[in-house]
Amino acid sequence: MVHHHISTGSRFESQIGYSRAVVCDGWVFVAGTTGYDYATMTMPARVEDQCANALKTIGEALEKAGARLDDVVRVRYILPDKDDWPACWPVTSAAFTKARPAATMLVAGLQDPEMKIEIEVTARVPE
């Protein structure tokens, strides 16, 4: 079984010891991704902007793996405040209009207080 690791270059990946995504046997497993703009290492204040940034980072990782957001089959959303979730719906709906993946939203604390959402996906590379 061959694994291909994908990195965004985030300092968290090396500090914590993980990859943004791992490709194995046609599957792409994308790690929990928060709303940082990794080019500037800034975090927007609004949850919907964090959601959009996270999905952009996920989309870029999927592209490196040969997949797209349309190939996502499973998504997990993690938010510290459940009341922030509805503000993300237009962003997630636009991102997954075609894929319509199985989805779960969980409420849990995140690594830093400024983080309002974390998103994890599993995708299948198209044949």
Side-chain angles (χ1 to χ4, degrees):
M1 183 178 333
V2 177
H3 294 82
H4 172 70
H5 298 143
I6 295 170
S7 173
T8 58
S10 161
R11 64 181 168 86
F12 295 122
E13 293 172 34
S14 61
Q15 288 176 335
I16 298 170
Y18 72 96
S19 296
R20 174 63 47 211
V22 176
V23 184
C24 181
D25 293 335
W27 291 100
V28 185
F29 303 93
V30 182
T33 304
T34 60
Y36 279 106
D37 175 336
Y38 286 104
T40 62
M41 282 308 290
T42 58
M43 179 74 78
R46 295 176 355 136
V47 69
E48 54 268 46
D49 295 331
Q50 290 188 26
C51 183
N53 279 357
L55 289 168
K56 179 180 181 283
T57 300
I58 289 167
E60 290 168 354
L62 290 170
E63 283 182 28
K64 290 179 182 177
R68 301 173 304 150
L69 287 173
D70 288 347
D71 301 311
V72 171
V73 297
R74 179 78 169 131
V75 60
R76 287 183 187 88
Y77 304 100
I78 306 158
L79 294 93
D81 183 350
K82 68 178 175 61
D83 293 332
D84 281 343
W85 180 223
C88 296
W89 295 352
V91 180
T92 60
S93 177
F96 296 118
T97 298
K98 183 175 178 187
R100 304 277 310 252
T104 301
M105 190 284 281
L106 304 166
V107 175
L110 299 179
Q111 183 171 304
D112 291 324
E114 67 184 341
M115 296 174 176
K116 296 182 178 182
I117 188 167
E118 186 167 329
I119 304 171
E120 171 187 292
V121 306
T122 303
R124 185 78 173 158
V125 177
E127 297 191 17

